[in-house]
Amino acid sequence: MYTDSEGIILRQIKAAGGRRMILLFSRKYGKISAGSSISEKGRSKAALAMRPFTFGRYELFKNRDSYNINSGEVIKSFYRIGEDVDKYMCASYVLEYTDKILADEQPMPRMLDLLIEFFDLLSVRQKRYETLVSAYQIKALALLGNAPELGSCVICGSKEELSAFSVKDGGAVCESCRKKMQADSNVSLIFNANFGTIGILKYFLNNSLKSLERIGLEEDAQALVRNILKSYGEYHLDIAALKSESFFNNQK
């Protein structure tokens, strides 16, 4: 069966005979693996659509067990991302993260729209790119139904003095419960909510990526947010260390 779908290529792997295995995040079919003989090298419409950070429309041949990409055309190219090493690494990290959290062949059009919006904003952003990455992560968690509880204490339900974040319990913890938890030496993965961290995460969760256009976290606040989201993803979604994650460790 011949069909087509909009999508973004998450990953390419070279295969025998000049072919490639493509991991495509498609609007119709979700994350799919597809074979293709099209290389991103060249000036044809199909070649341009195979390049990194491109939102394209792809013609697919679908049979019972597999997909093949026969051709493609560019809907929008975020070529500016590739001109900046820091942007490139942030975008690569987000693609890898998206790959890890998506189930195979489960359509998630809202997640695809979020990814396109991320690319749109990253391509024109001038600094503090990681703020946008963190916002994407927590909004992606929400689309999966795995967002942390940030409006009240996950232990007692209090909305006052939310002073910590418990990864295992899945969200904010009030000051009273924090003290009780810290008295238990067996409790781990508790982060003190310095720098207004709970408020930052709530803002990311409840507002569009577009609203962050002029917002960038200071280094200490960003590092804490990054560590919380990393630990949260590892614990609740079993996301191990990503290959592109070393970039953040090398940032000054």
Side-chain angles (χ1 to χ4, degrees):
M1 178 183 75
Y2 288 95
T3 183
D4 64 10
S5 180
E6 297 175 348
I8 289 177
I9 293 174
L10 298 175
R11 180 159 42 96
Q12 298 192 39
I13 300 173
K14 291 183 180 179
R19 285 179 60 76
R20 292 169 184 264
M21 289 306 299
I22 309 297
L23 197 63
L24 178 69
F25 183 14
S26 69
R27 188 176 297 279
K28 283 185 182 178
Y29 305 107
K31 184 177 75 171
I32 59 172
S33 294
S36 183
S37 298
I38 306 168
S39 169
E40 73 269 22
K41 297 178 181 179
R43 301 297 301 175
S44 69
K45 288 196 304 182
L48 294 174
M50 304 299 283
R51 292 182 177 177
F53 317 128
T54 298
F55 175 45
R57 180 175 291 105
Y58 301 90
E59 181 187 281
L60 304 167
F61 178 76
K62 180 181 184 296
N63 61 27
R64 181 179 299 177
D65 301 315
S66 63
Y67 295 84
N68 192 79
I69 298 176
N70 293 340
S71 66
E73 61 178 329
V74 175
I75 297 174
K76 187 167 188 177
S77 174
F78 304 98
Y79 66 90
R80 290 184 182 178
I81 291 173
E83 297 174 349
D84 183 297
V85 173
D86 290 344
K87 285 185 180 183
Y88 178 88
M89 293 305 299
C90 282
S92 297
Y93 176 86
V94 163
L95 286 182
E96 189 180 0
Y97 180 85
T98 304
D99 175 9
K100 295 295 185 183
I101 65 175
L102 289 176
D104 292 338
E105 299 192 47
Q106 180 177 318
M108 293 200 69
R110 291 175 62 195
M111 186 80 79
L112 180 63
D113 289 338
L114 181 67
L115 183 57
I116 294 166
E117 185 181 12
F118 171 82
F119 279 164
D120 252 327
L121 295 170
L122 181 64
S123 65
V124 298
R125 194 176 176 94
Q126 299 300 312
K127 59 183 179 179
R128 302 196 187 278
Y129 310 133
E130 198 183 345
T131 298
L132 196 61
V133 173
S134 295
Y136 174 87
Q137 286 181 281
I138 194 166
K139 295 182 80 63
L141 289 171
L143 290 176
L144 291 172
N146 282 292
E149 171 56 55
L150 300 169
S152 59
C153 176
V154 290
I155 306 300
C156 71
S158 172
K159 298 181 183 295
E160 305 298 325
E161 294 186 286
L162 301 178
S163 62
F165 186 97
S166 170
V167 170
K168 288 184 177 181
D169 294 295
V173 175
C174 72
E175 179 64 11
S176 176
C177 290
R178 181 189 69 81
K179 289 178 178 178
K180 293 175 184 176
M181 295 172 78
Q182 289 186 332
D184 182 353
S185 59
N186 293 319
V187 173
S188 61
L189 292 177
I190 301 292
F191 291 86
N192 289 328
N194 303 324
F195 316 110
T197 307
I198 302 300
I200 290 169
L201 292 172
K202 281 181 68 175
Y203 187 88
F204 286 173
L205 191 59
N206 296 327
N207 293 274
S208 68
L209 290 181
K210 179 71 173 175
S211 70
L212 301 173
E213 197 168 16
R214 301 181 184 278
I215 296 175
L217 299 181
E218 294 296 330
E219 185 176 340
D220 289 345
Q222 180 60 69
L224 181 55
V225 167
R226 177 203 314 153
N227 289 334
I228 288 173
L229 291 175
K230 178 179 183 296
S231 298
Y232 191 90
E234 288 176 350
Y235 188 84
H236 291 280
L237 298 177
D238 197 25
I239 299 175
L242 306 182
K243 293 179 180 178
S244 51
E245 194 172 307
S246 60
F247 163 72
F248 296 126
N249 297 328
N250 294 329
Q251 284 188 311
K252 296 181 180 179

